[in-house]
Amino acid sequence: MSESSRVFRAGTRGSRLALIQTREALDRIAALVNSAAPGSLAFRLEVFSSPGDRDRDRDLASSPEDFFSRDLDEAVREGRIDLAVHSAKDIPEEPGEGLDFVWLPWREDRRDVLICRRGEGPEKLPPGARVGVSSPRRIEYCRRFFPASVPLSIRGNVEERVGQLDRGDYDMIILAAAGLNRLGLGDRITRLIPESELRPPEAQGALALTFRLGDPALRELRKLFVTPVVFAGAGISRGDLTEDVRDALSRCEVCLHDALLDPGALRFLPPGAEVLPVGKRSGSHSLQQEEISALIRRHARRGKRVLRLKGGDPGIFGRLAEEVRAVEDLSLPYRVLPGLSSFQAAARWGILPTSRGLSRGFTVITPRGDGGEEAPIGRDARAEAPVFIYMGTERAEEIRRTLAAEGRPPEEPAAVLFGIGSPGAAPIRTSLAGIPEAVRSAREAAGDGAVPPGLIVVGAAAAGSWTNHGLLAGKRVLLTAGGAVRDKAEEAVRDAGGTPVPLPLIDLVREEDLSWARDLRSRDWIVLTSPAAAGFFLETLRELRVDLRGLPRIMTPGRETARALEDAGIYADLLPEKDFGADGMLKAAGERDDPGKDETRDGGAARGAGGLPEKGVLPEATGAPGSAPEDSGATPGHGHGDGDADRRLSRAFAGKRVLRLRSDRASLRVTLALRAAGAEVEDRVLYRNVALRPEKLPDFDAAFFASASAVQAFASVWGISALAGREILAIGKPTEAALLALGAPGVLVSPEAAARGAVAFLAARELGRRLGGTN
């Protein structure tokens, strides 16, 4: 532990399960932050009991909601510890006074399970069988599926409950899979209960941190585990949805929507998204504003992607300010996406707010006051409204004089906005008197003396501002990748509060020769070592109408490539559980018992050795390892320097027919290793990297490189010196090597070779700075 580490006092209950899950969670948090900012934080563990530990007689079905968290949270509130680690299901839905919380993203299986004595099963339960349960939900399950059984209350920790079963106190018990798995008792599970039979609580399998409300350091730490709340305008009909709003809908996990909304907009939500109608109509409110705000805060702190969807534009009579303040008060990140308002939609019928020769402006006003009471809309009320002036920067001084002559005070708030919609655009805050100077400053910044087009705002609204609470707030991140990698990186940068600055330097072009796809059934394995390779592979299969049921088995080096396949319903048969990259893939290949069994997908072949984790087990946002770039990994002959590993690979792949699809820049390491193992490898270039030459290098604070080819393309246009004074983030050893070979200083290498994980690494580094662990 570094002397400069920020040491947090963490509390937990004393059961074996509580200690195991707490230590694992704290270790993962420390590893995530300290890998990016060494010496930033550490934890000192303190053990407490709870009313639930001391009172073994009370039936849990009627216990208070803080039965297992009360003492810990009192210690947090009183300052005896900084934070407490809980099973998320043990904390109240809303934290107690003076407390705040966050759910951690590392979840276990949330399902319930049946446990019988060894060698017995639920199908053999006798009439009157005693079933140990601890909640009304499980009692109802017993009555429905085992009507002849007798549900009885059971108490004690997990091991004690299993012991009560084994000694004959019960014939069967129902527990959560999560606790058994964390304790290494998964072998005692007789049957996993499908969620369709017994829906588990959302919190089951999750862990939560509670801490003092307003604790600045822990609020910053929480930002690693939450995504921005998105306040978005849905327009007037589904056809009005902007691309950004559609994207937010497609990634949303919890959608709170208004009544004044085209229901068709909700069809863009992903399956499983929770939809909460919270609409308000004149004189009829389904929920009070405070309740809506509480729902937003609750789901955001549970790590959910929350979308607050409003009809029209959220900034026009949408109570946006109240809801934003509700998340700002907790320093939770958020974004605002405008929408088409009804006054704009009126243009469909020829009702134009402005029209040459008819009107040069318009007023938007409501006759309802803050509390719903009647309010004036006369000339004086309209005169107090903010003024938005288009195309006025060339006449800034005249505008100032005119408004001043009408009685507007010189100190009245004003703002001038240039380049709205461009990366990094921000208003110039000023006053009515300062408008001309703001425009002059913009002219000088332009460099060529031109007055940029802009919007002038005068009135109280001009003083309004949002606070960017993301860890990358104010940081412009140059993204040199293209395609899916760029899209994921943009999303991750926005999630962290940064400004993505896309600058694709490489275009990926598929080869015209697709003869490799003619007889895929003759292969035993296909090797795909990048998300781009997976994408072009799937594109080709669709074009040629290839029957997916006849595909050979597929190996990939990491999750990003595997997930690209999963989107098409194809699951990687070989994926390393750790050590992502070519080395890890080849090692996993050599360790398979029988990699040639069930060569195609016909008949439902067994799937996914080391396969994809369930959602939430190792989310990328935590910095967990991910997929490797195309040219990372092993050296020829497997390259481990491990004779046993080479022999295992030979036993597994000798004589196997392998198709390796790659880019023209990819290393031959995987191909040579498999050939050295005795495999018959057809190595085909599936796509080529074509360098692009952008005209201008935009301003940026950090640069993200996902491939050596992008590094070379950047250096050929601007030289590596253009990176001086900026943070340089790379994924993959070849990318790092290319940067270092050109003399790039201080290259940061993400432990996860995937866009989202790399950006999370950058965010964790910023957190380390804020905690004082790195410069």
Side-chain angles (χ1 to χ4, degrees), residues 60 151 204 223 236 272 284 354 406 439-440 468 484 490 550 573 619 641 651 674 685 694 739 752 764:
L60 293 181
Q204 191 157 288
K223 293 173 185 177
I236 308 306
S284 176
T354 65
E406 291 181 352
V439 173
R440 280 193 293 272
N468 186 341
E490 281 193 39
D573 300 277
R651 283 196 299 270
L674 290 172
V685 172
L739 285 162
E752 180 180 356

Side-chain angles (χ1 to χ4, degrees), residues 644-674:
D644 288 341
D646 291 339
R647 284 189 290 274
R648 285 194 297 270
L649 190 64
S650 295
R651 283 196 299 270
F653 278 86
K656 299 297 180 187
R657 296 155 297 175
V658 179
L659 173 63
R660 198 277 173 98
L661 300 172
R662 61 177 178 86
S663 83
D664 62 320
R665 300 283 185 89
S667 167
L668 292 175
R669 293 167 179 170
V670 170
T671 299
L672 296 176
L674 290 172

Side-chain angles (χ1 to χ4, degrees), residues 478-481 501-506 691-700 703 705 709-724 726 742:
L478 189 73
L479 306 176
T480 62
V501 183
L503 186 75
L505 298 173
I506 299 292
L692 304 174
R693 296 183 69 86
E695 294 181 0
K696 182 182 179 181
L697 181 63
D699 292 334
F700 64 98
F705 293 94
S709 54
V711 173
Q712 292 154 3
F714 182 94
S716 70
V717 179
W718 293 291
I720 210 69
S721 61
L723 296 174
R726 275 93 166 190
L742 291 169

Side-chain angles (χ1 to χ4, degrees), residues 326-340:
V327 297
E328 276 203 327
D329 287 346
L330 296 175
S331 293
L332 291 168
Y334 59 91
R335 295 171 56 209
V336 176
L337 302 178
L340 183 69

